[in-house]
């Protein structure tokens, strides 16, 4: 198991074969029962919930070797409440003890810089490198109580085929004791799973053609390599008045709220060509580069924005010139590694051009020896790419307005069903007014799908002379022939 002064994770190994009735009491409750419950603050924001849930299903659908019986996972609000209760104890251990035979549980904690909740989920899945299907061989099943060697039980719980319900909570814990270290302000993530997994001596799933061995209750349904029921079986509580997002705090104006009523967008006439209204855009703002790619070569005639580095660059990168800020002849990925923005697993980074610097200092950092230079040259710096969850109504004018010099916007995550859950305005086509809903503009542009939501990149740009309205993907955007003010933006796919 890997630990550091910023992030640790733990999982539970269960040894029971029966799911006790304590978790069955809510399954048959109807909508009126949910409405009758007293309203209270959610244990996790709607945005973080979708980030965690969607990444779980994405990772479960891509296991190798492929799974024939992997079930689609849904959110469970009772599991969320149980996770909330434990997260508020701020105890770095599994619990409560009386439930550990009835649920599966993954834990994560970090301090310091903000991280999206998917940081821990991805870390749990990445333990696959210590796991050999079908049984745990290289990894140690006894963490966190008797840790020695690598761990993979977070991974096996995450991909346990029959664990089809999840509920998580996030809490900020002050002076939390994490394996003998006192963290002044720890962000604590607790995820509970049902039915539990990690039965010792059992494989987490059956190998075979995806969806070929689904339980009969799924009636042959399959979605993204997962056994799936059309319409789902998820029960939702009433809308919440207030939500918090401890891992990625948003300004007050961006907190989830009930959408304001607005006139319905007109439906297309029967004579419209429906197929022509379906648009899919795979254009990306993020540029994929090689380990050796120099920024000088990549930036010619283009805007330096967001880059994706492949894994394995630590041992095959080009030269790196400078410390903190780097010569334009430096390897983009090498600068990212040297600065600590990415590691040898690769990842995303943002580049900002800084103009000419008189000299560049050498240093050895994060396994990279940079070189010095006493000659004036153009420079750049690298930063990590933050991920923020937004609501269906969030606009660029509120979230990331255009400014000079141009700054980077976080990578955004839009929830599902913004087509139906919001009537926020969309102005323009391809280039949108910054008063438009980001998520609905992304649906209109074909960057994300309404049914799934998802990640996107936003690029604010200067205002346009006019905006043209069109009907695309179920949304009618408005025209604006002579905008009096405001700026514009574009949305890009994340693939």
């Amino acid at each position: 198991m890997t630990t550091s002064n910023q992030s640790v994770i733990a999982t539970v190994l269960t040894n029971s074969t029966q799911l006790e009735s304590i978790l069955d009491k809510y399954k048959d409750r109807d909508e009126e029962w949910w409405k009758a419950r007293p309203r209270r603050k959610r244990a996790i924001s709607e945005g973080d919930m979708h980030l965690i849930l969607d990444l779980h299903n994405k990772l479960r659908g891509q296991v190798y070797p492929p799974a024939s019986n992997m079930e689609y996972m849904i959110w469970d609000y009772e599991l969320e409440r149980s996770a909330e209760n434990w997260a508020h104890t701020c105890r770095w251990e599994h619990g409560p003890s009386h439930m550990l035979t009835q649920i599966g549980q993954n834990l994560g904690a970090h301090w310091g810089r903000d991280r999206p909740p998917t940081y821990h989920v991805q870390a749990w899945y990445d333990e696959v490198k210590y796991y050999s299907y079908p049984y745990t061989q290289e990894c140690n099943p006894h963490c966190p109580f008797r840790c020695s060697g690598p761990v993979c039980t977070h991974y096996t719980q995450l991909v346990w085929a029959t664990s089809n319900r999840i509920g998580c909570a996030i809490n900020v814990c002050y002076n939390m004791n994490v394996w003998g270290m006192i963290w002044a302000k720890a962000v604590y993530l607790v995820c509970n799973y049902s039915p539990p997994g990690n039965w010792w001596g059992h494989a987490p799933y059956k190998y075979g053609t995806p969806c070929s061995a689904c339980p009969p209750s799924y009636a042959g349904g399959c979605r993204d390599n997962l056994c799936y029921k059309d319409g789902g079986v998820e029960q939702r509580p009433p809308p919440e008045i207030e939500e918090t997002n401890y891992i990625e705090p948003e300004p007050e104006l961006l907190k989830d709220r009930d959408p304001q009523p607005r006139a319905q967008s007109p439906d297309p006439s029967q004579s419209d060509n429906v197929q022509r209204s379906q648009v899919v855009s795979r254009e990306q703002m993020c540029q994929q580069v090689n380990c050796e790619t120099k920024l000088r070569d990549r930036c010619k005639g283009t805007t330096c924005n967001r880059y994706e580095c492949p894994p394995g660059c630590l041992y095959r990168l080009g030269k790196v010139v400078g410390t903190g800020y780097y010569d334009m002849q430096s390897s983009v990925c090498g600068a990212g590694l040297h600065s600590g923005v990415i590691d040898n697993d690769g990842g995303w980074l943002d580049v900002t051009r800084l103009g000419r610097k008189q000299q560049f200092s050498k240093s050895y950092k994060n396994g990279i020896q940079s070189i010095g230079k006493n000659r004036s040259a153009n420079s750049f710096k690298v930063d990590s790419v933050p991920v923020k969850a937004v609501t269906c109504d969030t606009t660029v004018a509120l979230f990331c307005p255009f400014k000079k010099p141009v700054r980077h916007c976080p990578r955004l995550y839009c929830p599902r069903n913004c087509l139906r859950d919001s009537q926020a305005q969309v102005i323009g086509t391809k280039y949108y007014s910054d008063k438009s809903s980001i998520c609905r503009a992304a649906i209109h542009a074909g960057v994300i799908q309404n049914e799934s939501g998802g990640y996107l990149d936003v690029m604010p740009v200067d205002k346009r002379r006019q905006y043209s309205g069109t009907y695309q993907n179920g949304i009618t955007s408005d025209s604006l022939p002579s905008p009096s003010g405001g700026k514009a933006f574009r949305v890009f796919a994340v693939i």
Side-chain angles (χ1 to χ4, degrees):
M1 180 172 184
T2 300
T3 63
S4 71
N5 66 340
Q6 283 197 321
S7 175
V8 285
I9 50 181
T11 192
V12 62
L13 181 69
T14 55
N15 55 16
S16 171
T17 58
Q18 298 293 328
L19 182 64
E20 299 294 335
S21 60
I22 189 171
L23 293 180
D24 293 332
K25 60 182 173 25
Y26 61 90
K27 289 183 179 178
D28 297 322
R29 301 293 189 177
D30 58 21
E31 186 175 355
E32 293 303 313
W33 181 83
W34 286 103
K35 290 180 179 179
R37 301 180 78 206
R39 288 193 172 190
R40 55 178 293 186
K41 187 163 60 177
R42 285 282 303 282
I44 192 169
S45 75
E46 191 81 358
D48 283 349
M49 181 191 80
H50 288 302
L51 283 170
I52 292 171
L53 180 61
D54 290 353
L55 183 56
H56 268 76
N57 281 318
K58 175 185 175 182
L59 296 173
R60 286 164 68 85
Q62 68 182 36
V63 293
Y64 185 84
S68 62
N69 67 329
M70 188 70 72
E71 298 182 41
Y72 185 88
M73 191 171 274
I74 64 171
W75 195 263
D76 188 298
Y77 292 90
E78 196 68 14
L79 289 175
E80 176 188 311
R81 296 302 183 204
S82 65
E84 177 188 23
N85 291 338
W86 188 248
H88 279 274
T89 68
C90 292
R91 294 166 60 184
W92 182 243
E93 59 187 72
H94 291 291
S97 58
H98 70 275
M99 293 188 68
L100 292 184
T101 58
Q102 303 150 23
I103 60 170
Q105 188 176 77
N106 278 354
L107 308 177
H110 73 266
W111 65 271
R113 64 183 182 183
D114 285 347
R115 300 177 187 271
T118 50
Y119 170 83
H120 294 292
V121 178
Q122 187 65 54
W124 298 336
Y125 183 84
D126 288 345
E127 290 175 3
V128 65
K129 61 188 175 184
Y130 303 125
Y131 177 76
S132 295
Y133 186 89
Y135 305 118
T136 53
Q137 295 173 2
E138 293 88 356
C139 70
N140 187 325
H142 300 296
C143 277
F145 307 108
R146 300 191 302 276
C147 270
S148 62
V151 181
C152 66
T153 43
H154 312 92
Y155 165 77
T156 51
Q157 175 59 81
L158 194 155
V159 301
W160 202 269
T162 57
S163 292
N164 56 22
R165 292 176 178 266
I166 183 176
C168 305
I170 297 171
N171 185 39
V172 174
C173 296
Y174 296 90
N175 298 321
M176 183 175 176
N177 188 330
V178 181
W179 287 339
M181 298 178 291
I182 303 300
W183 290 6
K185 186 179 180 182
V187 181
Y188 192 20
L189 171 67
V190 178
C191 285
N192 287 345
Y193 301 81
S194 176
N198 281 339
W199 311 127
W200 188 245
H202 292 257
Y205 57 83
K206 296 178 182 178
Y207 162 70
T209 303
C211 299
S212 63
C214 293
S217 60
Y218 286 89
C222 186
R223 175 176 175 178
D224 298 328
N225 298 331
L226 303 174
C227 306
Y228 179 76
K229 292 180 182 177
D230 287 334
V233 293
E234 180 179 3
Q235 290 181 309
R236 289 183 173 271
E240 304 293 339
I241 299 297
E242 179 184 3
E243 292 191 352
T244 57
N245 180 348
Y246 289 119
I247 282 186
E248 292 290 354
E250 300 291 351
E252 188 69 23
L253 289 174
L254 297 183
K255 288 185 179 178
D256 291 354
R257 59 193 184 279
D258 293 332
Q260 298 299 313
R262 188 176 170 274
Q264 296 282 337
S265 298
D267 292 328
S269 67
Q270 294 297 321
S271 62
D272 283 342
N273 187 324
V274 176
Q275 286 189 345
R276 291 189 63 185
S277 74
Q278 301 303 310
V279 176
V280 176
S281 173
R282 293 188 171 272
E283 186 178 3
Q284 295 190 79
M285 182 181 81
C286 185
Q287 304 178 56
Q288 293 180 335
V289 293
N290 297 322
C291 298
E292 303 85 1
T293 303
K294 299 177 182 178
L295 189 67
R296 179 191 64 181
D297 299 333
R298 198 67 179 184
C299 276
K300 288 182 177 178
T302 68
T303 303
C304 299
N305 285 299
R306 189 157 288 166
Y307 295 88
E308 182 177 2
C309 292
C313 287
L314 187 61
Y315 306 109
R316 53 189 179 93
L317 51 84
K319 67 179 179 181
V320 178
V321 182
T323 300
Y325 55 85
Y326 302 91
D327 184 285
M328 291 286 287
Q329 297 189 51
S330 299
S331 154
V332 178
C333 300
L337 285 165
H338 184 263
S339 64
V341 168
I342 61 172
D343 56 26
N344 198 41
D345 291 332
W348 298 293
L349 52 83
D350 282 339
V351 166
T352 303
R353 300 179 77 162
L354 299 176
R356 298 190 75 83
K357 297 291 184 181
Q358 296 305 309
Q359 64 178 12
F360 299 83
S361 58
K362 66 180 181 180
S363 66
Y364 181 81
K365 295 177 66 176
N366 301 310
I368 304 293
Q369 177 65 60
S370 70
I371 61 178
K373 182 176 178 179
N374 291 319
R375 221 169 39 247
S376 174
N378 285 322
S379 65
F380 69 95
K381 69 173 182 176
V382 291
D383 294 292
S384 60
V385 177
V387 179
K388 301 281 188 178
V390 294
T391 68
C392 295
D393 298 338
T394 302
T395 66
V396 168
L398 273 176
F399 187 83
C400 187
F402 175 80
K403 293 180 180 180
K404 290 184 178 180
V406 177
R407 65 190 180 113
H408 299 286
C409 295
R411 175 156 288 171
L412 305 182
Y413 181 84
C414 288
R416 293 170 286 188
N417 296 323
C418 285
L419 183 64
R420 293 184 290 272
D421 291 352
S422 171
Q423 292 299 320
Q425 191 174 22
V426 178
I427 304 171
T429 301
K430 187 174 181 180
Y431 288 88
Y432 299 92
S433 164
D434 65 357
K435 296 180 176 61
S436 303
S437 155
I438 298 172
C439 297
R440 285 173 57 81
I443 297 171
H444 182 266
V447 166
I448 62 173
Q449 296 183 339
N450 174 64
E451 293 77 14
S452 58
Y455 296 93
L456 58 94
D457 284 327
V458 170
M459 180 187 291
V461 296
D462 214 339
K463 66 180 180 181
R464 313 294 290 179
R465 293 184 179 180
Q466 63 178 16
Y467 298 95
S468 300
T470 56
Y471 175 77
Q472 294 180 173
N473 300 322
I475 293 178
T476 300
S477 67
D478 297 330
S479 297
L480 192 60
S482 301
S484 57
K487 306 296 182 181
F489 70 96
R490 291 190 63 191
V491 286
F492 295 89
V494 174
I495 299 173

